[in-house]
Amino acid sequence: LLKTNMAEAAVISLFGSRIIDINPGFIESYWEFDHIAGTLVWGLPKWMRPDPVRKHETLHRMTRKHIDSAWENFNWDGPEADSDWDPHFGSRLSRETARWLRNGGFSNQAAAGHTLASLFGYVKLDLRDIRG
């Protein structure tokens, strides 16, 4: 329970509440990915490790859905544009990183990959004490 609640709080504070709202089962998918993430760096073909690849693709699809939704719904001319947190992108760090990636010509697919990598790193760092 603590692991689930703490992970959700960390995800919401960093990436906004919409990532959870539009992706039922997001936290469960995160922890499923956490257990297999290391095996993806082995470089084995997909057909040899279909389960880890599927879990990675599921979580990446969820982060892509989040990025697409954030860009569709965030008002860059509204008061949220200068806020420290908003429900679409979450923290100012996440929002400004998304803007930097967009201005740099990166696709939403690439931005979703960056979000996934950031999610994995930041949340894992935030939760290392409760995982033991």
Side-chain angles (χ1 to χ4, degrees), residues 9 20 31 47 71 96 113:
I20 301 291
W31 287 116
W47 61 269
W71 277 105
E96 293 302 323

Side-chain angles (χ1 to χ4, degrees), residues 12-16 74 79-87 89-96:
I12 289 171
S13 69
L14 290 167
F15 300 103
F74 186 77
E80 290 179 332
D82 291 324
S83 68
D84 290 334
W85 186 90
D86 71 86
F89 285 106
S91 67
R92 182 182 294 252
L93 172 67
S94 297
R95 184 174 60 247
E96 293 302 323

Side-chain angles (χ1 to χ4, degrees), residues 102-116:
R102 167 90 33 120
N103 290 341
F106 289 91
S107 67
N108 281 4
Q109 184 76 359
H114 183 274
T115 297
L116 176 55

Side-chain angles (χ1 to χ4, degrees), residues 3-53:
K3 184 169 96 171
T4 302
N5 289 342
M6 291 293 288
E8 185 172 325
V11 169
I12 289 171
S13 69
L14 290 167
F15 300 103
S17 54
R18 293 290 298 146
I19 194 169
I20 301 291
D21 296 342
I22 63 175
N23 290 300
F26 186 83
I27 298 301
E28 293 80 11
S29 291
Y30 171 82
W31 287 116
E32 287 178 14
F33 177 72
D34 178 67
H35 289 289
I36 55 86
T39 65
L40 295 173
V41 299
W42 296 348
L44 297 173
K46 288 181 181 183
W47 61 269
M48 291 181 75
R49 303 282 300 165
D51 191 50
V53 169

